[in-house]
Amino acid sequence: SKGYALLVGVDRYDDQPRLTCCSKDATALARLLRTDFGFQTTLMTQDRGRIKPEFSPDALRIRTQLTTVAEACGDSDTLLVM
């Protein structure tokens, strides 16, 4: 069985104060899952989205990435979404 993870970190919202750790936490967890547990990870943060728009954490792109990751999972695989 394999492990898959979709991790979303959003630090900036239009109508809320800026958060300080969401992207950092998602990035750190993605690294841990990859290196220590062999997960295939998909990381979506605003900083990463500026470089690769498909990883920008807006509703449509999150749904698209979730569908992609879920379709890759087999019956005995693990899927983590955060």
Side-chain angles (χ1 to χ4, degrees):
S1 67
K2 297 178 184 176
Y4 297 88
L6 174 62
L7 302 139
V8 180
V10 177
D11 291 330
R12 293 176 301 278
Y13 292 90
D14 292 336
D15 58 349
Q16 298 294 321
R18 183 183 172 116
L19 302 171
T20 58
C21 294
C22 296
S23 291
K24 290 178 188 176
D25 290 348
T27 301
L29 183 55
R31 185 177 304 115
L32 175 77
L33 290 169
R34 254 191 335 271
T35 59
D36 290 5
F37 299 99
F39 271 63
Q40 294 182 17
T41 61
T42 301
L43 176 64
M44 301 183 77
T45 64
Q46 289 154 321
D47 290 339
R48 189 155 191 238
R50 279 194 285 282
I51 297 165
K52 291 187 166 192
E54 66 269 25
F55 296 113
S56 182
D58 61 63
L60 178 60
R61 289 184 175 117
I62 292 170
R63 282 193 297 272
T64 299
Q65 290 295 333
L66 180 57
T67 299
T68 300
V69 173
E71 288 175 349
C73 287
D75 291 339
S76 64
D77 294 336
T78 300
L79 173 58
L80 171 73
V81 178
M82 181 193 103

